[in-house]
Amino acid sequence: YAVLGAILLVTLWTRMRHLEEPAAVCWDEAHFGKFANWYIKREFFFDVHPPLGKMAIAAAGYLTGYNATHPFECGDAYEDHN
C-alpha cells in the first residue's frame, strides 16, 4: 500500500502543479468550450465528431452554474462569467 500511496501522491502532484497556467484559452478549450456553450444554450450546430465528450463538459458547466457567455477564442483571458 505504501508504493500505491506514493504513486498516487506523485501523480496528483504532477497533475495539479501549475494547473492555473496558462490563464488564457488554448487549443482544445477553443473548440470544446464553444461546443459546450452551444449545448448549454440549446443552439443548433453541426459537428462530425461524436458528442459524448462535449456533452460531458457541457453537463459539468450546467451543473456548476456556468452561463455560457465566455467566447472561447484562442488567446482570450479567462474571466469571471458567472
Side-chain angles (χ1 to χ4, degrees):
Y1 290 112
V3 174
L4 181 61
I7 291 172
L8 177 67
L9 290 175
V10 169
T11 56
L12 284 172
W13 179 74
T14 58
R15 174 66 182 110
M16 302 306 276
R17 190 179 72 141
H18 301 297
L19 190 61
E20 71 278 358
E21 295 176 11
V25 176
C26 291
W27 176 251
D28 280 342
E29 290 90 354
H31 302 291
F32 280 80
K34 287 178 186 175
F35 285 115
N37 280 350
W38 291 330
Y39 274 117
I40 291 171
K41 293 179 183 177
R42 297 180 179 180
E43 294 179 356
F44 176 77
F45 65 92
F46 178 76
D47 185 19
V48 296
H49 300 288
L52 184 60
K54 297 171 193 102
M55 290 174 77
I57 293 170
Y62 179 78
L63 291 174
T64 58
Y66 172 62
N67 60 7
T69 58
H70 191 73
F72 286 102
E73 296 297 329
C74 286
D76 283 353
Y78 285 117
E79 298 171 356
D80 184 22
H81 286 277
N82 286 328

